[in-house]
Amino acid sequence: MDLLERDAQLGALQEYAAEAAAGAGRLVLVAGEAGVGKSTLVEALERRVPGARWAWGACDPLTTPRPLGALVDLAPQLDPELDRMCRDGAPRERLFDAAREALAGGGAPTCAVFEDVHWADDATLDLLRFLGRRVRDLPVLLIATFRDDEPRPRLLEVLAQLGAMRTTRRIDLPPLSAHAVDALAAGRGVDGGELFRATGGNPFFVSELLRSGPGDGMPSSIRELVLARAARLSPPAREALDAAALIGLTVPPALLGRVGSAAPRDVDEMLTCGVIRATTDAFAFRHELARRAVDEAIPPHRRQALHRAILTALEELEVAHPARLAFHAEGAGDAARAVAHARRAGREAAALGAHREALVQFERALRHADGLPERERAELLDALAAEAAVVDQGERALDARRQASELWRGLGDTVREGDSLRGLARAQLRVADGTGATATAERALELLQAHGDTREYAAALAQLAGDRMLNGRDDDAVVLARRAQALGERLGLPGVQADALDTLACSLAVTGGDWEPPMREALRLALEGGVADQAGRAFNNLHWALGSEQRIDEAIAVYEEGWAFCEAHDALSFGWCLRMEHAEIVEWRGDWDEALDMAEGTAGMPLTPLNRYTCLSVAGRIRSRRGEPRGMELLREADAIARGSGQPQYEVQSALNLVEAHWLAGDLDAARREAARALDLAPGTVGCIRDSVLEWAHRLLGPAARDIDAADVWDAPRHELAGRRREAVAAWERIGYVNHAALVLAFSDDEADLRDAIARFDRLGATAAVRAVRRRMRELGLRAIPAGSRSATRAHPAHLTRREQDVLALLCEHLSNEEIARRLVLSVRTVDHHVSAILAKLGVASRAEAAEAARRTGLVPVAG
């Protein structure tokens, strides 16, 4: 019964295990709903691959899981040194490298199982991504099981990235068919059809209902079934079962023996109920659903007492991670121990780069911190705010910093108050409160400068320098940044140095100075100093500066490296900023579906307003060009954020977004008003933004734009301003900016240029732009105006994006990914992702099969 209707999936697993044994490592994602038999399938594989070295690790179903919990389980099975490093709390980079080495060693193919990664902490998800990239040439089979019926955004995001790797394979386990359930019910006194309707074919539900027997009737839910079986136990055995449910899915006998007063015979009786079973060295619930059913039925007064007993036993055994201790302390209602363990768990998680888990642990500590001295509460609030800022929860960081600064003020500690205010200013920037951020940063520096050259003063100098830069006061920013950098160097503060040099570089980029050396040095200092958040900022601003100079290939390479770094180190505040700015490059190069996926894939995520601004801008521009009314709504929402930020770069770009959108909609008066607004705000912005202002002012304002300073304008806009439209188009085409090239032609008075513009917009699916050019042709009195084809608005038959279609065509030419990357001016990694997506959408397993399917179905024309 266990492997009914699972032959195909087991055969696939055996094939992947054989490939791994031959040195072609694989990461296999085994997906299915709760109870569908994922673990049973992998256990069957273990029996069929006895010559391999097997190791199993599980993720914890805790409110806040222990960081790298699965690795902690795997380590003693793989390598004593890795186990020691886990117990000693080694840095995550060393743990990740050691895990890879442990998997590669051992003298036999290794199968490592990560069970229940839907409960995984972020550090474990990062580890899976790290290993998935590095098993390609190793005799290693990684298997990750997860529920696909309870997805969370972070897991979906990581699964998408894992699925794009060439080493990754996925196996989906469907429920049993009605025919299979009917066959199982035959001769059991149970109606097969009713059983299928009640269970939906879930093997666990089916097996549990059949195990209950016809005499027990048909429970209305698994919960009732589990509790009905548990109710048969004697009070001591039921107490043991309740304690086991609170301990977790896997229950060490030594721990259970210390909780309550259950005798060995009571534990034996507990095992007879069919809810929990004995394994080689532990007790294990047959399924999390069973454990949860028992857990939820425990009365509150007994729950608290059991948590207290478990907590005491874990502390005596001295083996539990502080995250588990904090969980049980909170359940026990023990505020003091909850604070102590949660604070320690938060610090350890932060040191490992698991900033989300750190944030949740500090939140837990604060829930029980009413009795703490004000100084300790203020320290907790500052720690929480720092973690919230890193993971882009700006409002939470803002609130915590405000509370902390008020507490420090009440305590008369102006150093700590000033440092909290410095963090508050940063949070205000991220939530687009530019005016408040400036006032707060100035107040922080005022408080701290009285204390001399301290680390807090150096950080406040760097913060105010950044504020001045963002507000277009670049001369002031340069002076402050140089002071902060010198003091940071003298005090040995790599984070402050990186922050100051980054700001200096940004101001130099705006004012035409040599920005690249200080920017590269900022990145080096942040990376070598282990300051993940500042490294994320440096990656982001390096990408921005390169893109501003149209060094697109270099910008893409920085994005690839920077996004991988930010993900691996949970530095998501600047990581999301980097990703969204890269989405703009993807958009400008015409890959609108991909850009929309990147921008709108963040829906529901707690992004700060500035990161949300870029998402709204990308989605709003594309949807406006496609003639969707929602586009203007998105751009107006983005404009409200930009105006609140007080930062010229956001306000000018937002005005330009609205210029284009109003032009597309045929409202030229509104477009001209926004162009004038952009013109007023343009001083103090980077060159590429000023270039865009020049272009739109030239197109829409005419003589009103004559006084614009056109010095240092890049090739394409300079050609357009001089009336050399074809040269401008060629310049845009060299870097792949297809919409920009079409816009140049759209404002020509030449009929051939306008027809060319319509053709280009048509290929992009920019139906609103096609209508705008047709309006212009009518205004010019031209006849035989082309309507534009409808093909651009129809979905691709295989749901390929335009860029995927380009890649598929080159696959059919038998080009390697490296050759495709050179041909399309993409990174190799981006091509890897496109190829993986093509294989998945076409339902094929190889490049050759994709090419054959493309020719057979007409997706790619057959050469004549």
Side-chain angles (χ1 to χ4, degrees):
M1 171 181 173
D2 285 344
L3 291 178
L4 192 63
E5 295 187 329
R6 296 293 184 256
D7 288 345
Q9 291 86 357
L10 183 57
L13 269 179
Q14 286 183 268
E15 179 182 344
Y16 303 147
E19 291 172 351
R26 294 286 179 261
L27 167 60
V28 182
L29 306 175
V30 180
E33 66 184 30
V36 82
K38 300 179 290 294
S39 295
T40 299
L41 178 71
V42 181
E43 288 167 356
L45 176 69
E46 183 176 15
R47 291 192 293 270
R48 300 205 182 184
V49 188
R53 181 176 58 137
W54 282 81
W56 293 70
C59 300
D60 300 313
L62 300 175
T63 305
T64 305
R66 53 186 175 145
L68 296 175
L71 179 61
V72 172
D73 291 346
L74 289 162
Q77 305 168 62
L78 292 173
D79 179 65
E81 178 61 17
L82 176 61
D83 185 35
R84 183 194 64 76
M85 292 173 65
C86 287
R87 286 186 280 104
D88 291 347
R92 63 188 270 161
E93 291 88 351
R94 290 182 56 204
L95 285 176
F96 283 17
D97 287 335
R100 179 193 174 281
E101 292 173 9
L103 288 167
T110 299
C111 299
V113 184
F114 290 72
E115 287 197 281
D116 299 324
V117 298
H118 48 273
W119 286 316
D121 64 290
D122 283 5
T124 296
L125 294 177
D126 291 339
L127 173 63
L128 272 175
R129 190 169 48 239
F130 175 91
L131 295 175
R133 292 192 182 106
R134 290 162 175 82
V135 297
R136 183 177 179 182
D137 299 316
L138 299 177
V140 174
L141 179 69
L142 298 177
I143 300 175
T145 71
F146 68 95
R147 293 182 188 173
D148 57 3
D149 56 347
E150 299 177 1
R152 57 187 179 99
R154 171 66 168 159
L155 177 62
L156 291 175
E157 176 191 330
V158 172
L159 289 174
Q161 293 161 5
L162 293 175
M165 296 179 187
R166 283 173 284 182
T167 57
T168 302
R169 301 293 183 268
R170 176 165 173 155
I171 293 176
D172 292 283
L173 289 184
L176 299 175
S177 67
H179 176 76
V181 174
D182 193 55
L184 291 171
R188 306 288 291 271
V190 176
D191 181 85
E194 187 178 353
L195 180 62
F196 181 78
R197 285 190 293 274
T199 64
N202 182 289
F204 172 76
F205 292 2
V206 171
S207 63
E208 289 299 300
L209 287 169
L210 290 176
R211 189 179 290 113
S212 69
D216 290 343
M218 183 67 73
S220 61
S221 70
I222 292 297
R223 179 179 180 277
E224 292 177 358
L225 170 62
V226 172
L227 296 181
R229 299 179 73 83
R232 301 170 185 164
L233 299 174
S234 65
R238 176 59 187 271
E239 182 178 346
L241 182 65
D242 289 348
L246 289 183
I247 289 171
L249 199 58
T250 302
V251 184
L255 177 57
L256 185 62
R258 286 174 175 260
V259 179
S261 57
R265 64 176 179 275
D266 301 320
V267 174
D268 290 340
E269 181 187 350
M270 176 189 74
L271 297 172
T272 66
C273 73
V275 175
I276 193 170
R277 59 190 173 88
T279 64
T280 303
D281 54 3
F283 305 122
F285 280 86
R286 293 185 178 276
H287 197 278
E288 166 61 14
L289 294 176
R291 188 207 65 79
R292 191 185 305 172
V294 176
D295 182 331
E296 293 172 354
I298 302 172
H301 68 284
R302 290 195 61 243
R303 173 185 299 276
Q304 191 172 76
L306 282 171
H307 272 300
R308 188 177 300 114
I310 295 168
L311 174 62
T312 300
L314 287 171
E315 289 177 333
E316 290 172 353
L317 290 170
E318 298 182 346
V319 295
H321 188 277
R324 182 175 290 277
L325 296 173
F327 168 73
H328 290 297
E330 186 170 43
D334 190 327
R337 289 154 94 186
V339 169
H341 291 309
R343 184 159 45 189
R344 180 183 158 209
R347 288 169 181 164
E348 291 190 9
L352 281 170
H355 297 289
R356 296 176 201 262
E357 280 68 42
L359 174 60
V360 174
Q361 292 295 351
F362 288 135
E363 291 277 22
R364 171 179 277 147
L366 279 167
R367 285 198 295 271
H368 303 280
D370 290 344
L372 285 181
E374 288 190 345
R375 177 171 292 275
E376 292 185 36
R377 284 180 54 221
E379 289 172 345
L380 264 179
L381 284 162
D382 276 332
L384 182 150
E387 300 305 310
V390 173
V391 300
D392 208 39
Q393 292 197 22
E395 293 290 349
R396 187 65 186 102
L398 189 76
D399 180 61
R401 288 293 191 186
R402 279 181 174 149
Q403 291 184 58
S405 62
E406 289 169 5
L407 286 171
W408 292 122
R409 185 179 307 118
L411 290 167
D413 190 333
T414 53
V415 172
R416 297 300 295 270
E417 180 190 356
D419 200 43
S420 280
L421 288 173
R422 187 259 319 156
L424 175 59
R426 175 186 171 179
Q428 288 171 312
L429 280 174
R430 299 308 297 167
V431 301
D433 178 10
T435 303
T438 297
T440 303
E442 290 172 346
R443 176 58 180 158
L445 194 65
E446 179 185 342
L447 285 173
L448 291 168
Q449 63 187 2
H451 295 276
D453 291 345
T454 62
R455 59 179 299 279
E456 291 84 2
Y457 178 58
L461 275 171
Q463 179 65 39
L464 188 59
D467 183 89
R468 294 289 191 258
M469 178 268 293
L470 291 170
N471 283 287
R473 297 171 59 179
D474 290 294
D475 291 342
D476 292 344
V478 168
V479 172
L480 287 167
R482 292 192 190 281
R483 286 174 58 193
Q485 192 275 331
L487 183 54
E489 183 176 14
R490 181 152 57 84
L491 296 178
L493 304 172
V496 170
Q497 293 181 72
D499 193 8
L501 286 169
D502 197 326
T503 294
L504 173 65
C506 289
S507 286
L508 292 174
V510 170
T511 57
D514 187 9
W515 62 266
E516 191 162 358
M519 187 74 80
R520 297 279 185 185
E521 178 66 3
L523 179 57
R524 184 191 69 79
L525 284 167
L527 291 173
E528 293 182 0
V531 191
D533 200 30
Q534 287 299 334
R537 182 182 184 226
F539 274 121
N540 180 74
N541 285 332
L542 177 57
H543 174 273
W544 161 80
L546 290 168
S548 298
E549 294 187 351
Q550 285 76 40
R551 294 160 62 181
I552 305 305
D553 292 347
E554 294 174 76
I556 290 173
V558 168
Y559 164 73
E560 300 281 4
E561 182 183 357
W563 177 241
F565 175 89
C566 290
E567 280 192 301
H569 292 80
D570 232 0
L572 293 182
S573 178
F574 288 109
W576 282 118
C577 188
L578 173 64
R579 184 164 174 80
M580 289 306 102
E581 287 202 1
H582 183 68
E584 291 190 314
I585 288 181
V586 173
E587 169 207 345
W588 295 334
R589 303 189 92 176
D591 295 328
W592 288 358
D593 288 332
E594 183 180 346
L596 272 178
D597 286 344
M598 295 175 73
E600 298 183 344
T602 61
M605 293 184 181
L607 300 183
T608 53
L610 287 188
N611 280 343
R612 179 159 171 71
Y613 162 82
T614 312
C615 299
L616 293 166
S617 295
V618 170
R621 288 192 297 261
I622 293 172
R623 295 201 178 282
S624 293
R625 292 165 191 156
R626 288 176 170 175
E628 300 175 23
R630 183 165 170 252
M632 183 65 79
E633 176 187 333
L634 295 172
L635 292 179
R636 291 195 185 282
E637 186 179 347
D639 192 50
I641 295 172
R643 288 173 183 267
S645 75
Q647 298 178 26
Q649 61 177 341
Y650 289 104
E651 292 192 69
V652 173
Q653 183 58 63
S654 182
L656 291 174
N657 292 343
L658 292 170
V659 169
E660 183 184 3
H662 285 307
W663 171 73
L664 290 168
D667 189 346
L668 294 184
D669 288 340
R672 292 185 181 108
R673 285 195 299 272
E674 292 297 339
R677 174 163 77 105
L679 200 57
D680 289 340
L681 294 167
T685 58
V686 74
C688 66
I689 295 179
R690 292 198 303 270
D691 289 355
S692 294
V693 173
L694 287 173
E695 290 171 309
W696 281 106
H698 175 74
R699 295 162 185 167
L700 297 175
L701 300 180
R706 286 177 181 167
D707 295 333
I708 301 173
D709 180 8
D712 299 322
V713 176
W714 184 65
D715 293 355
R718 187 174 69 252
H719 287 310
E720 182 179 357
L721 294 175
R724 298 187 295 270
R725 294 189 182 277
R726 282 295 162 181
E727 289 88 341
V729 169
W732 286 126
E733 287 178 334
R734 279 196 297 273
I735 61 172
Y737 280 20
V738 290
N739 191 68
H740 290 67
L743 280 170
V744 171
L745 297 168
F747 286 88
S748 173
D749 293 337
D750 181 80
E751 181 176 355
D753 285 346
L754 294 171
R755 287 179 174 276
D756 191 2
I758 286 177
R760 291 169 184 263
F761 284 134
D762 194 47
R763 288 195 295 271
L764 284 168
T767 54
V770 168
R771 288 195 296 269
V773 179
R774 295 179 73 240
R775 282 195 301 270
R776 179 165 176 76
M777 295 181 77
R778 284 195 296 271
E779 292 167 0
L780 293 172
L782 300 176
R783 299 180 179 181
I785 298 171
S789 73
R790 298 178 180 272
S791 62
T793 64
R794 290 199 297 263
H796 189 281
H799 305 288
L800 300 184
T801 67
R802 188 181 68 84
R803 181 61 78 190
E804 288 167 355
Q805 177 72 13
D806 293 340
V807 172
L808 178 60
L810 296 177
L811 282 180
C812 292
E813 295 181 22
H814 308 292
L815 298 186
S816 68
N817 285 9
E818 290 76 10
E819 291 168 328
I820 293 172
R822 285 195 296 273
R823 182 81 65 88
L824 297 179
V825 197
L826 299 171
S827 73
V828 175
R829 182 177 297 179
T830 297
V831 174
D832 291 344
H833 293 172
H834 284 315
V835 171
S836 296
I838 291 167
L839 298 184
K841 290 180 180 181
L842 297 183
V844 297
S846 70
R847 301 157 65 89
E849 290 179 24
E852 175 58 30
R855 296 187 186 97
R856 185 177 64 252
T857 59
L859 294 176
V860 173
V862 178

